[in-house]
Amino acid sequence: VQLQACGGGLVQAGGSLRLSCAASGSSFSTYGMGWWRQAPGKVREFVAAIPWERTTTYYPDVVKGRFTISRDSAETTVYLQMNSLKPEDTAVYYCAAGKGRNLGRRWMLPSTYDYWGQGTLVTVSS
């Protein structure tokens, strides 16, 4: 499956953005999906995940309550709604897909994912 993330841009602190990740070559229906980000000079950081089972979602504390991951009913697009953005949210955001089942919180690990899309830049100004 090929992934393409889009929707990044420049936004003021407190604003919102919605990122999209589209699939080509396959639907997302059999994959767990995640969003990650990488700021300049920092390691890639987990942002959100929704497993194949769709029974729950996972977020780190730094974005919990502000970000929401969702999947469309056609299973071809995954979204990341980002509200109350802060300058420290500035990063390149990546979507990723994994084939695993019953992984629980392992969806918060980069090694869980089999496919990665190219990123989209989000810049939050203060």
Side-chain angles (χ1 to χ4, degrees), residues 15-19 66-67 80-85 93 122:
S16 298
L17 278 176
R18 188 176 78 159
L19 305 183
R66 300 189 297 123
F67 290 12
L80 182 69
Q81 178 67 43
M82 305 186 294
N83 299 327
S84 302
L85 283 161
Y93 283 71
V122 172

Side-chain angles (χ1 to χ4, degrees), residues 97-120:
K99 296 179 284 187
R101 299 288 184 266
N102 302 311
L103 298 179
R105 296 179 68 81
R106 281 176 283 173
W107 286 107
M108 303 173 74
L109 301 175
S111 57
T112 296
Y113 297 87
D114 302 292
Y115 304 98
W116 293 82
Q118 62 185 66
T120 185

Side-chain angles (χ1 to χ4, degrees), residues 35-76:
W35 284 95
W36 292 73
R37 69 186 181 187
Q38 188 165 19
K42 295 188 176 182
V43 299
R44 193 167 293 191
E45 177 184 32
F46 170 71
V47 174
I50 182 165
W52 172 81
E53 298 87 350
R54 302 166 184 76
T55 53
T56 190
T57 51
Y58 297 96
Y59 306 93
D61 289 344
V62 293
V63 307
K64 193 173 294 183
R66 300 189 297 123
F67 290 12
T68 303
I69 186 172
S70 61
R71 315 169 67 128
D72 74 340
S73 58
E75 296 287 0
T76 58

